[in-house]
Amino acid sequence: MTISTDTGTAPRVALVTGGSGGIGAAVVERLAADGFAVAVHYAGSRDKAEDVARAARDAGATALVVGADVADEDAVATMFDAVERELGGVDVLVHSAGIMLLSPLAELDLDDFDRMHRTNVRGTFVVAKEAVKRLRSGGAIINFSSTVVKLALPTYAAYAATKGAVDAMTMILAKELRGRDITVNAIAPGPTATPLFLDGKPQEAIDRLAAMPPLERLGVPTDIADAVAFLAGRARWVNGQVLYVNGGIA
């Protein structure tokens, strides 16, 4: 295990779910650059997670790859066991794993609704439940919400409903951890150029969404990773909040 040369102590440890690609991969890169040892979680693509971990190691960080179905209690517990065994503990949980399936409400297949609920809602609940048992004092739980909760865009009803549930869990859990010195917040990205966001969208729709922020562009994963790094680092007086990272969309 890598030892920090400037303090002589082991680095803080961050577990990033959904760390194998998109925003999660950018978060791993940023936290590794900030001196964290990182555990890169994947659900379906170990090869991609290995690539992300290898890049973190090449930059001088300690990195571990872990796989789990985030909605499976036993698998999540095993994942935390592996991180504690290999990296010594967990200080920060960044729960970015999620899926997005879009459709007008009246046309949505209920199997798709159930899939999103299982990953986005149950998954957030299960991972947070395990993190509460494991995180060390001074730690942080950072969930992922979405700006679409307040934008109320057509075709996003089911997805936004799952992220509204994340908001509620985040704010309540922050209060339930009174006295633990663990912050609980959520990041709510705006339109961000990731495969999850871009998949299946016509260029006209992408251009329209890019024009919504006053900054007149889509976000990029590093924009979101910067906000995660803020909450994972010295932002100890930010707690129980949903932080909108969306370029100024009202």
Side-chain angles (χ1 to χ4, degrees):
M1 182 172 175
T2 299
I3 300 299
S4 173
T5 56
D6 58 340
T7 65
T9 60
R12 298 176 76 211
V13 176
L15 167 59
V16 183
T17 69
S20 61
I23 291 172
V27 168
V28 169
E29 180 181 2
R30 174 55 193 271
L31 294 182
D34 285 353
F36 281 83
V38 289
V40 184
H41 160 268
Y42 70 95
S45 179
R46 183 180 180 91
D47 288 345
K48 289 182 179 179
E50 291 284 4
D51 289 343
V52 173
R54 187 177 304 112
R57 294 187 196 108
D58 288 346
T62 298
L64 172 70
V65 170
V66 288
D69 173 356
V70 294
D72 183 318
E73 286 185 282
D74 292 337
V76 168
T78 299
M79 173 177 68
F80 273 87
D81 287 342
V83 178
E84 289 181 333
R85 182 174 61 251
E86 299 296 329
L87 300 181
V90 185
D91 299 287
V92 172
L93 166 71
V94 182
H95 183 55
S96 68
I99 60 173
M100 179 171 64
L101 304 169
L102 303 182
S103 168
L105 186 149
E107 300 171 16
L108 181 69
D109 188 315
L110 287 178
D111 287 341
D112 287 345
F113 180 89
D114 290 342
R115 282 179 59 202
M116 278 194 290
H117 189 278
R118 187 177 190 279
T119 298
N120 298 355
V121 180
R122 179 186 169 95
T124 299
F125 192 95
V126 168
V127 172
K129 182 178 180 181
E130 197 64 33
V132 166
K133 305 174 188 175
R134 311 279 191 142
L135 259 63
R136 297 184 285 211
S137 179
I141 295 172
I142 303 165
N143 291 323
F144 264 69
S145 179
S146 174
T147 291
V148 299
V149 173
K150 70 174 182 177
L151 290 182
L153 297 175
T155 75
Y156 283 84
Y159 176 73
T162 68
K163 294 304 184 176
V166 171
D167 289 356
M169 283 188 278
T170 297
M171 292 182 283
I172 292 169
L173 182 57
K175 294 180 178 180
E176 291 179 347
L177 292 184
R178 175 180 292 274
R180 287 281 305 278
D181 190 24
I182 295 173
T183 61
V184 187
N185 294 287
I187 296 284
T192 305
T194 66
L196 176 70
F197 173 80
L198 296 172
D199 184 43
K201 288 187 175 67
Q203 189 61 46
E204 179 185 0
I206 294 170
D207 292 343
R208 184 174 64 254
L209 290 164
M212 291 177 69
L215 297 177
E216 294 189 334
R217 68 171 176 86
L218 293 176
V220 293
T222 54
D223 292 325
I224 314 305
D226 287 343
V228 171
F230 168 69
L231 294 176
R234 301 181 65 87
R236 302 305 301 167
W237 197 235
V238 182
N239 192 26
Q241 304 299 313
V242 178
L243 179 61
Y244 286 86
V245 185
N246 59 24
I249 298 174

